[in-house]
Amino acid sequence: MPLEVGVLGYGFMGKAHANAMARLPMFFPDAPEIERSVLIGRTESALSDAADRLGFDSIATDWRDVVDDVDVFYNLGPNHVHREPSIAALEVGTPVFCEKPLAPTLSDAEAMAEAAREAGDDVPAGCAFNYRFVPAIQYAKRLLEAGELGEIHHVRGRYLQDWLVDPEAPWSWRNDAELAGSGALGDLGSHTVDLMRFLVGSDDLAGEIERVSGHLRTFVEERRTEDGDETRPVTVDDAYSAQLAFANGAMGTLEGSRFATGHKNDHTIEIHGSEGSLRFSLERLNELEVLRDGDRGYETILITDEDDPYIDHWWPPGHVIGWEHLFVHENYEFLSAVAEGTTYEPSFADGLAAQRVLDAIEESNDRGEWITLES
Amino acid sequence: MPLEVGVLGYGFMGKAHANAMARLPMFFPDAPEIERSVLIGRTESALSDAADRLGFDSIATDWRDVVDDVDVFYNLGPNHVHREPSIAALEVGTPVFCEKPLAPTLSDAEAMAEAAREAGDDVPAGCAFNYRFVPAIQYAKRLLEAGELGEIHHVRGRYLQDWLVDPEAPWSWRNDAELAGSGALGDLGSHTVDLMRFLVGSDDLAGEIERVSGHLRTFVEERRTEDGDETRPVTVDDAYSAQLAFANGAMGTLEGSRFATGHKNDHTIEIHGSEGSLRFSLERLNELEVLRDGDRGYETILITDEDDPYIDHWWPPGHVIGWEHLFVHENYEFLSAVAEGTTYEPSFADGLAAQRVLDAIEESNDRGEWITLES
Amino acid sequence: MPLEVGVLGYGFMGKAHANAMARLPMFFPDAPEIERSVLIGRTESALSDAADRLGFDSIATDWRDVVDDVDVFYNLGPNHVHREPSIAALEVGTPVFCEKPLAPTLSDAEAMAEAAREAGDDVPAGCAFNYRFVPAIQYAKRLLEAGELGEIHHVRGRYLQDWLVDPEAPWSWRNDAELAGSGALGDLGSHTVDLMRFLVGSDDLAGEIERVSGHLRTFVEERRTEDGDETRPVTVDDAYSAQLAFANGAMGTLEGSRFATGHKNDHTIEIHGSEGSLRFSLERLNELEVLRDGDRGYETILITDEDDPYIDHWWPPGHVIGWEHLFVHENYEFLSAVAEGTTYEPSFADGLAAQRVLDAIEESNDRGEWITLES
Amino acid sequence: MPLEVGVLGYGFMGKAHANAMARLPMFFPDAPEIERSVLIGRTESALSDAADRLGFDSIATDWRDVVDDVDVFYNLGPNHVHREPSIAALEVGTPVFCEKPLAPTLSDAEAMAEAAREAGDDVPAGCAFNYRFVPAIQYAKRLLEAGELGEIHHVRGRYLQDWLVDPEAPWSWRNDAELAGSGALGDLGSHTVDLMRFLVGSDDLAGEIERVSGHLRTFVEERRTEDGDETRPVTVDDAYSAQLAFANGAMGTLEGSRFATGHKNDHTIEIHGSEGSLRFSLERLNELEVLRDGDRGYETILITDEDDPYIDHWWPPGHVIGWEHLFVHENYEFLSAVAEGTTYEPSFADGLAAQRVLDAIEESNDRGEWITLES
C-alpha cells in the first residue's frame, strides 16, 4: 500500500516537493512507494490546474478534511498557516513535514514542537531545512565529525538576495509581521542558523549557541501592492546581522539580506578550526573548498564522486546536480522515516531551536544588548 | 494519442533520457504527450529490471521488431550500433534520435545522414549534442548572433577527463577502434566541435572550419579487461589536440583527454571577438563569463534569471539547475519537432559535419600535415 | 634642500617605508627630494646594521635628540611608543607620520590628535592606513563618490590571519594590553574601520558610524616567550567581530582574526548599494570586482590600466604591482604634503576616529550592549 | 670594486632593469655591488633625461664605445639590435644580458649562441626569460623535479594580450618582420616555450620538444604610423598557435595573441601528469594551483611563505609581490653569476633552443605540415 500524501500549498515549494516525490522511484528505488493523493489550497480552479500539473489525484479546499485521512501531511503554506494544521495532523498521529521557518512566533513554534513530542517518536515531524541535504554540506559534516578541522574558532554564514532592493518591488505576505513573523531573519536566517547547528552544533565541536547580538533593518518602509492600488507598510526586516557566542567559545557572524544587489540566492558558510577551514556557496553547490591540516590553501573539490553523499543515486563523476536535487534527498529521508516509523532530522525540535536563536536575535535588536539563550 | 517511444540502450544515456522524458509533463506542459513504450537491449533479465526502473511499458531484444512500430526511436547504443538500426528506422519513416558521435566511421555517418535526407524534413533525425541545451550556451549564442562579440578571432575548446589516467583502469568498448571509432577524439571532441559549429559556425561569424591540424596519442597501449583475465589492446586515442582555421580567418584550438588528472567532466569553451570575449565551463554550467564592448573584465553571470533560455520552466533566479536538465531541454525540443513534423537541430547532418572535422583531425595526425575540408 | 627624515623603528615597517622612500625618485619624479637622515632605535649594533641596509645616513638611540632636528619624523615603533615622541615632534612643528593603530588607548589617541590640531594645518600628521593607497581601493572610492553604487545598504570587512592559531606560537608585544592596547581589534580592525570610513564615510554615502556591537575573544590565554623560558598571559583579543549602524541606516559587519587557519593576510571589503556592489581582497590587490547598475554579475577588473590610480607611474596594463607599492603611494602623498605644507589624509584625526570605533567595540564587548558613539 | 654596468635601451625594459638593480642592495645584500655606469641610446636629450631618472652615471650614443669598457653589458634594444652588440661584447669577454626573443632570425640566434660558447663558461650570456623567476614557477619546478606530478602527459601554455585588437592601434617596430623577426610568436611565444622547457624539459620529465605544428595569423594587414601620416604593412603574426610532441610522448598546445579582447598580460601554464596537475596565471602571479596525488581538486596556494623561492628576501606571508620583483630575482642571479664567473641560465643556448622551436612553428605554418626538430 503506497503512502498517501496530502500537500497544503502549490506555489514554489509545492512544485519543488511534488517534483521530488515524482523522481524518487527512478533514482531511489528503496524509497517507500507513495501517492500524491490530495493537494490542498483555497482557490478551487487554480488548485485544480496545479493538481493536474503536479500529479495529484484529488484536491481539497480545507485541510481539516485531509489531515486525518492521509498517511503524511506536508504543510507548505505561508508561515502563519504552519501552526494549526500541523498540530491538528500530529494530534491524529499523521506525520508532518513543515516548511521553514517553523512558525512566525516563538510561542507557535513551541506549541508545534510540543505537539510533535506528544505525537511520539514514531510520528516524524520534519522541518524543511533542505540545505542540510546538499552533498557538499553532508561531506563537510563528515569532515567536521571526523575532527578534521580541529577545535572550532569561527563560523560565518551569509544569505544574500536582492529581490527587494528595488523600492518598486511589490508588497507580499513576506513583508508582513503578522503573516511571516519576520523578514530576512526568518526566511533566510533560519536556514543559516540551522546549517550552523547541523555542522558545528554537537558538543565536541562548537556546541550550542549561547549568546547573540542582533541587528535588524527595514530599508523601505512601505510598498505598493501587486495590483498597485494601495501601499502597505513593511513590518518586517529587509536585512539582519548577528554575532554569536558558542558554548566552546567559538565566534559566529551571520547576515541575511534581501537588499544585496546582484546576489540572487547566495548562501555561504565558512568555518575556521584549529586544524583546517572550509567554505561553501549555494550558487556553486556542487563544490566545497576545504583546507586540511598541512594544506596551505583551499582545495576546490567537486562533490560529485560516486562515494560522495547521495551521488551514487545520480550521475557519474563531474556531472553536476542542481538545487532541486536537495528536495529529492530530503523527501527520501523524510518519507523513509515515515514508512519505518523512525525519527527524522531536522525535526520540529530543530525548527524550534533555530527559532529560539532568531527570536533572541530580534530581542537583542530591540533591547540593544546581547541576549543569553536559555539552555 | 501519446507518441510511443522506443529506446535502444539502458545504461547511463538510457537513464538520462528516460528521466528527461519523465520530467517533461510537470515542467514543459506544452511538450507532446509520450509513452515510454519499449526498451530494447540484449540481456532479457537486466533489460526487464531497467524497464521497470526507467518506466517503460515493455521490452524487446531485437530492434528490428521495434523501429517500425514506435513513433520515435532513440538509439543510445555504443557507436558501432548507431548505423544499422538508425537507418532502418528512418527508412520506415520513424524519427530517430541518436547518441553522439553519430558513427564510428565517416562512411557510416554519411550513410546515416543520407538516410535522414531521404526520410525527409518531416522525419526528424537528431544527434545528441546535449551541450547545445545548456542555458548559458544558448545565452552565449544569443550574444554572438546579436554581434556583441564582433568579428571572431579566437575559439578554444577543451574537454578534460581523467578516468583512464590510472593504467589499471579496465578496458572497455570505448578503447576499441572497431566498436567506438575513436577515443577521446570522438567521445569528447565531437561535443566540442559541435559547440564550435553551433556558436560561431554561421557565415556572419567564423563560418565553416576549413583546415585542421590534428594530434592523437595513446598513452597506455593495453589494458586488462573488467574481469581481469586478459589484456586487450587500446586501439583508440587517449587524448587529442587540434588547430583549426575558420572561413573568416579565425583560429581555433581544441583539446580532449581522458588523462587530465583531477578533471572529471571539464568542458570549457572560450571565444574572443573584436568587441568582446566569453568563457564557459561545464563544471559551473549555470555560469557564463562575458566581456562586452567597454568592459574591462569578465562579468560572471548566473544564467538563472526568468528570461534566460529555458529557465522560466524551472525555478526562481539563483536556484541552479544540473547536468540532467540539458536532457530535458533536448528531449523537449526533439519530441516537439517529432510531434509537429518539423526539422530538428542538431540533426544527422550536424552529426556528419562534426564527424568530417574529427575525421580530418585523425587524417591530419596520420599524415603529419594540415588537412583541408571539402566544402 | 632635501627633506631630512628621521625614522623610529627598523623592523618590518621600517623596511617597508625605507624601501618606499628609496623608490620615489625613479617612479614619482615630482616627489620632494628627501634624505633618509637618522634611524632611531634602542640597540646600537642592530640599529647600525639596519641603517646601513636601509640607507640611512646616521643613527640615534634617543628620539628626543631627533624630533627637533629633522624635517619629518616617522614613528614606526610599537603602539605604546606612539604617543610621546609623536607629540614631542608636533610640539616643535615637525610633521609626523605614525603607524596604526594611532595609540594603545583612546586617551592617548585623543592627546595625539589634539597635538596635531595645535600644530596646525601646515604640519601634516599622518596615520599609516596604507590600504587607502591600493589602486583598486582608490578606484572603488571614485565609483562610490560618483554615486555608481547608489544608496549604501551593506558594508562588510574582514581581515583574516592565522599566525596565532598554533598554541605554540610565541608570545610577543602584540599579545600584551599594555604595549599594544588591543590585539586583532587594533592591529587588523583599525585598517578595516579606516577603509570603511574612507570608502563610505562621507555624508552623501553611509556617513558616520553611529552605533556598534562588539565581540572579542582570546582563544589561547598564555604563551611561551620566544626563548621558551617562561609563559606570559595574553591580555588582548585573538579575534573580534562587530556590527555597525551607519548614519544613513546602512548596516556593517566586521571581523578580524589571528586564528583564521589558512589565511595569511586576507583583508576583504564588500559593499552593496541600491545600484551596485563591489568586492575587494588584499590577496588579489590588483583586482576589483564591480557590479554596476544593469549588470547581472560582478566584473573582475584588473586595476592596472594607465588611467587607474597611480598606475601611470609604474608599468603597462596587466603588469601587476605588489603590497609594497602601497607604501610608495603613501609616502609620495605624505611627503608631498610635508613639502607643500598642506594637510594630509588619513590624518591623526582619522586615526582618532577609527580608534573611537574600536574603543566602542571593546566597550560594547565588556558591557554586552550596543554603544552609541558621540558625534 | 663595483661591477660597472652598461645598458642599451631605456624604454620599458630599461626602466624594469634599472629599478631591479637599484633594489638589490636593500633586499639582496649578498648581491655583487654594481654601478649603473652607462646608458646607451640614440637621441642624446631623451637619453640624458632617462639616465638621470634611472640613476646612470653617464650616457653614450654608440654601444661600440661601451661594450669593452664595462664589466657587464645589457642589451635591451629592439630585436634587430640584439645580434651585433651582444656578439661584440662577448668577443671582448664582457658578459651579456639580452632581452628576448634572442634574435629576429634563427641564424642570428645561432651566431649569438656560438659567440657565447666561444666566450666561455666564465662569461655569462643570459637571455631575459624573466618568468622563470616567478616564485610560483620556481615552486612548480621544485614539485616537478621531485616527481610529484608523475609522468607528464599534457602541457598547455597561453599568452593573451589585446593591444592590437583595435585596428586603429598604431604601427610599431613590433609589427615589422625585419625589425622584430616575428610578432606574437616571438614576443609572447618565446616566453611560453622557455617556461615549458624550464618546467618539463628535463629528460626525466617530458624531455625535448621533438615535433611541432604551427599556425600563424595576421588579422589586420596594415596600420597607420604613430603620427598617422601613412600606413605600413604588418609583416608579422598577430597571433599564433602550436601543437607540440615531446620526447616522452607528452602533448603540448601553445597559443599567443595580441587580439584576445580583455586580456592584458595573461600568461597561463597548465600541466597534467599521471600523479597530479598544476596551473599558473601571470595575472595572479603570487598564486599556484596544485593538485597532488590523492587530491580531488586544485589547492590554491599563495606562494608568499618564508621558505618559498626568494620570498625570505621580501615580506611576511601574505604580502604579495608584483611583476617587477621577477626582474630583481633575475638580476640578482645574473649579476651573481657575473661576479663569480659561473654559468647562468636561461643562457643564450636556452634562447637559441626556444628560437628553434619558434622557427619550426613558423616553418610548419608555411609548409602546412608537422616539423621535426633536429636534436
Side-chain angles (χ1 to χ4, degrees), chain B residues 41-232:
Chain B
R42 278 180 309 189
T43 321
E44 205 156 328
S45 62
L47 184 60
S48 188
D49 285 357
D52 230 50
R53 206 174 61 245
L54 302 179
F56 282 82
D57 299 335
S58 67
I59 62 171
T61 53
D62 191 338
W63 53 265
R64 286 171 192 82
D65 304 335
V66 177
V67 293
D68 200 3
D69 285 353
V70 293
D71 298 313
V72 200
F73 174 63
Y74 276 61
N75 189 339
L76 312 178
N79 302 353
H80 69 290
V81 184
H82 287 183
R83 176 181 178 154
E84 208 186 346
S86 298
I87 291 179
L90 289 168
E91 282 176 348
V92 295
T94 303
V96 176
F97 185 83
C98 183
E99 263 306 321
K100 42 55 58 181
L102 190 58
T105 66
L106 185 55
S107 65
D108 282 0
E110 280 165 346
M112 292 170 72
E114 176 58 23
R117 232 177 351 257
E118 282 174 10
D121 271 0
D122 56 344
V123 182
C127 186
F129 291 127
N130 55 307
Y131 295 133
R132 288 198 185 194
F133 299 97
V134 178
I137 290 291
Q138 300 253 342
Y139 184 96
K141 187 170 170 64
R142 284 186 193 170
L143 290 178
L144 286 158
E145 280 181 349
E148 292 221 29
L149 262 65
E151 187 183 342
I152 304 305
H153 293 130
H154 293 286
V155 299
R156 199 175 295 125
R158 278 192 329 223
Y159 203 146
L160 303 182
Q161 301 185 337
D162 70 358
W163 56 283
L164 283 184
V165 74
D166 179 357
E168 301 305 315
W171 188 94
S172 78
W173 69 266
R174 290 184 183 277
N175 298 126
D176 186 274
E178 289 297 309
L179 304 178
S182 70
L185 179 63
D187 186 25
L188 307 178
S190 63
H191 276 305
T192 313
V193 167
D194 182 66
L195 277 191
M196 291 304 181
R197 292 188 65 250
F198 178 62
L199 289 170
V200 303
S202 71
D203 286 344
D204 55 339
L205 293 168
E208 296 286 324
I209 296 166
E210 291 191 338
R211 294 187 314 126
V212 306
S213 169
H215 189 196
L216 275 66
R217 273 285 297 158
T218 306
F219 292 113
V220 170
E221 308 253 331
E222 59 178 26
R223 293 181 178 275
R224 291 204 158 273
T225 52
E226 191 90 53
D227 54 23
D229 284 352
E230 45 170 342
T231 57
R232 289 211 193 146

Side-chain angles (χ1 to χ4, degrees), chain D residues 8 12 30 50 138 144 158 195 202 263 334 336:
Chain D
L8 187 164
F12 176 22
D30 65 329
Q138 299 253 342
L144 285 157
R158 280 193 328 223
L195 277 191
S202 71
H263 297 252
F334 178 69
S336 297

Side-chain angles (χ1 to χ4, degrees), chain A residues 131 158-160 191-192 195 265-269 280-282:
Chain A
Y131 296 133
R158 277 190 333 219
Y159 202 145
L160 304 182
H191 275 305
T192 313
L195 276 192
N265 199 32
D266 185 15
H267 194 191
T268 57
I269 299 288
F280 168 78
S281 163
L282 184 61

Side-chain angles (χ1 to χ4, degrees), chain A residues 158-174:
Chain A
R158 277 190 333 219
Y159 202 145
L160 304 182
Q161 302 185 337
D162 69 359
W163 56 283
L164 284 184
V165 74
D166 178 358
E168 301 304 315
W171 189 94
S172 78
W173 70 265
R174 291 184 183 277

Side-chain angles (χ1 to χ4, degrees), chain C residues 12 15-16 19 23 26-27 36 53 265 283-284 287 302 313-316 318-320 322-325, chain D residues 12 15-16 19 23 26-27 53 265 283-284 287 302 313-316 318-320 322-325:
Chain C
F12 176 22
K15 187 177 170 189
N19 174 54
R23 306 190 64 196
M26 198 180 289
F27 293 92
R36 279 162 275 162
R53 207 173 58 246
N265 199 33
E283 291 186 350
R284 290 179 176 167
E287 300 179 16
L302 206 55
H313 291 272
W314 299 109
W315 313 105
H319 293 76
V320 299
W323 169 85
E324 69 185 59
H325 291 72
Chain D
F12 176 22
K15 188 178 171 189
N19 174 53
R23 305 190 64 198
M26 200 180 289
F27 293 91
R53 207 173 61 246
N265 199 31
E283 291 186 349
R284 290 179 176 167
E287 300 180 16
L302 206 53
H313 292 272
W314 299 110
W315 313 105
H319 293 75
V320 298
W323 169 85
E324 70 185 58
H325 291 73

